[in-house]
Amino acid sequence: MFVVIRFRVDETAQPEFLGRLETAVEVLSRQKGFVAARTGRNADDPELLALSMEWENIGSYRRALSPYEVKLAAVPLLSQAIDEPTAYDDLSEFAPLR
């Protein structure tokens, strides 16, 4: 499964925000079930940033948010995300896309 979390961050605040985002990803990457992560800036709206993560399954992702170190480093940052659904099942596991 994968997670897409979007943030709206003023361009002047992005250097500090990206440092916090890097720390959050580093802490999350140590959790069981973590596969990969990437961050990006929207090509048309430079204030729109995204964090995409892959996890073995939804349970791994949800459990990864519970450890104390994650609550300190990642949860405050994730709480700044745009309020929208973030977790997706990978449809390519069920049927090939054409």
Side-chain angles (χ1 to χ4, degrees):
M1 64 85 54
F2 63 96
V3 175
V4 178
I5 303 171
R6 299 183 318 143
F7 304 90
R8 180 150 309 274
V9 182
D10 186 86
E11 288 183 84
T12 60
Q14 286 183 15
E16 184 269 337
F17 182 86
L18 292 172
R20 292 175 51 221
L21 186 60
E22 183 178 323
T23 299
V25 169
E26 196 278 321
V27 169
L28 286 163
S29 72
R30 295 194 306 253
Q31 305 309 307
K32 185 176 180 184
F34 177 86
V35 176
R38 66 192 325 172
T39 57
R41 179 180 293 116
N42 186 280
D44 298 313
D45 183 350
E47 291 188 349
L48 190 58
L49 305 178
L51 167 63
S52 174
M53 296 181 286
E54 292 179 48
W55 294 86
E56 289 178 3
N57 53 55
I58 190 67
S60 295
Y61 171 60
R62 290 182 175 156
R63 283 188 296 278
L65 298 175
S66 296
Y68 182 72
E69 66 178 344
V70 173
K71 287 181 180 179
L72 286 179
V75 171
L77 180 98
L78 297 177
S79 70
Q80 294 179 255
I82 294 171
D83 186 17
E84 62 187 5
T86 60
Y88 296 85
D89 287 321
D90 186 350
L91 295 179
S92 65
E93 294 178 12
F94 303 108
L97 297 178
R98 296 174 195 228

